[in-house]
Amino acid sequence: MARSPLLGEFFAEFFGTMILILFGVGVVAQVVTGGFPTTTGATGDYNSIAWGWGLGVTMAVYVAGRLSGAHLNPAVTVALAAFKGFSARKVVPYIAAQLAGAFVAALLVRWAYSDAINRVDPGHTKATQGIFSTSPDIGVSIPTAFLDQIIGTAILVMVIFALTSAVNNPPLGNTAPLFIGLLVVGIGLGWGANAGYAINPARDFAPRIASWLTGYHDAMYSTNGPELYFWLPIVAPLVGGLIGGALFVFGIERFLPAAITEPAEIGVVEPTPLR
């Protein structure tokens, strides 16, 4: 019986995103329940979170890259469809796979860390909601958080396009996942304070739903007040991804075809494409 290529791509996106969330949400759970920032014996800090997410991205890309291109992020999928010829008919299946993988992974983290969460926050309040999804920091307004997510996701997509463009002197195909992971670490270190650098609708929304279904009744709201917040890490990254893709395509890539004939471009290696 012939295998469906789209089915394989669906499972690649599912398991790749699941690995990403197991690393990312898992490291946040460890840091939050381990006492940071109030206990000297804390099991990690903000640097742990940034590196945990970055390494999670790297491992997830290695898991899914061969079959699906390892989008792992609806903002990346939409940007690739808009600017790189990714099939429009695959957009919804890819996003569905990403959401499903993130949801399952978040439930696994919620189950595995349930005792630790109950120990530090038995009421399942906003004190530990940040394990699963993002929210603006104290004093950060919704417009600022929206802008923050646009900028962070634009950086993400622009640099991913640069790292995976065959005519832009990219890293070798088997090292590209490492550099994409380092990119996420860098975004976390530079753009995490305002709103937690979701930069990925699947990463934020699916774990938010998982936490809401398992006792976090305020999961859809900002930690700063009663306003609904769940929509922002969905809409802003999609906008930011389109901006980042456009910046690379129209600001860099359109000048590259002429440049590849220059001696400086000899030896360009084509990586496995992030389709």
Side-chain angles (χ1 to χ4, degrees):
M1 183 173 64
R3 291 179 296 179
S4 167
L6 183 57
L7 183 62
E9 292 168 27
F10 179 94
F11 278 114
E13 287 296 303
F14 175 89
F15 286 114
T17 310
M18 186 177 75
I19 290 295
L20 167 62
I21 299 304
L22 286 173
F23 272 89
V25 174
V27 73
V28 180
Q30 176 169 287
V31 170
V32 170
T33 62
F36 174 77
T38 59
T39 305
T40 56
T43 53
D45 56 17
Y46 185 79
N47 286 324
S48 304
I49 293 172
W51 282 98
W53 276 108
L55 289 170
V57 168
T58 295
M59 302 309 161
V61 175
Y62 278 120
V63 167
R66 183 67 174 175
L67 280 176
S68 71
H71 299 189
L72 314 176
N73 182 340
V76 173
T77 299
V78 169
L80 288 169
F83 299 110
K84 292 290 188 176
F86 180 70
S87 174
R89 72 179 181 86
K90 294 184 178 181
V91 169
V92 171
Y94 267 54
I95 292 176
Q98 293 154 9
L99 289 168
F103 180 77
V104 170
L107 286 178
L108 289 172
V109 174
R110 178 72 176 86
W111 172 60
Y113 275 91
S114 60
D115 291 344
I117 290 171
N118 289 336
R119 183 185 70 245
V120 300
D121 184 25
H124 303 126
T125 69
K126 292 178 180 180
T128 56
Q129 170 58 38
I131 291 172
F132 301 96
S133 55
T134 63
S135 183
D137 199 5
I138 296 171
V140 175
S141 68
I142 294 296
T144 297
F146 195 89
L147 176 63
D148 174 271
Q149 288 300 290
I150 287 177
I151 294 172
T153 315
I155 295 170
L156 176 74
V157 172
M158 184 178 185
V159 179
I160 285 176
F161 277 21
L163 289 171
T164 58
S165 173
V167 294
N168 195 41
N169 199 23
L172 294 173
N174 61 346
T175 63
L178 174 61
F179 287 97
I180 293 171
L182 289 173
L183 166 63
V184 173
V185 173
I187 293 172
L189 294 175
W191 290 91
N194 279 330
Y197 76 108
I199 59 174
N200 181 341
R203 168 267 173 275
D204 193 88
F205 184 63
R208 192 183 297 270
I209 291 293
S211 67
W212 178 70
L213 290 173
T214 57
Y216 284 90
H217 303 301
D218 292 328
M220 301 299 164
Y221 297 89
S222 166
T223 57
N224 291 333
E227 62 264 283
L228 283 172
Y229 186 77
F230 75 91
W231 61 272
L232 192 150
I234 299 173
V235 177
L238 291 173
V239 173
L242 290 171
I243 292 173
L247 289 174
F248 179 78
V249 168
F250 298 114
I252 299 293
E253 191 173 57
R254 71 189 183 100
F255 299 108
L256 291 175
I260 63 174
T261 62
E262 299 298 324
E265 295 297 324
I266 294 175
V268 168
V269 178
E270 182 174 357
T272 300
L274 188 76
R275 297 181 294 154

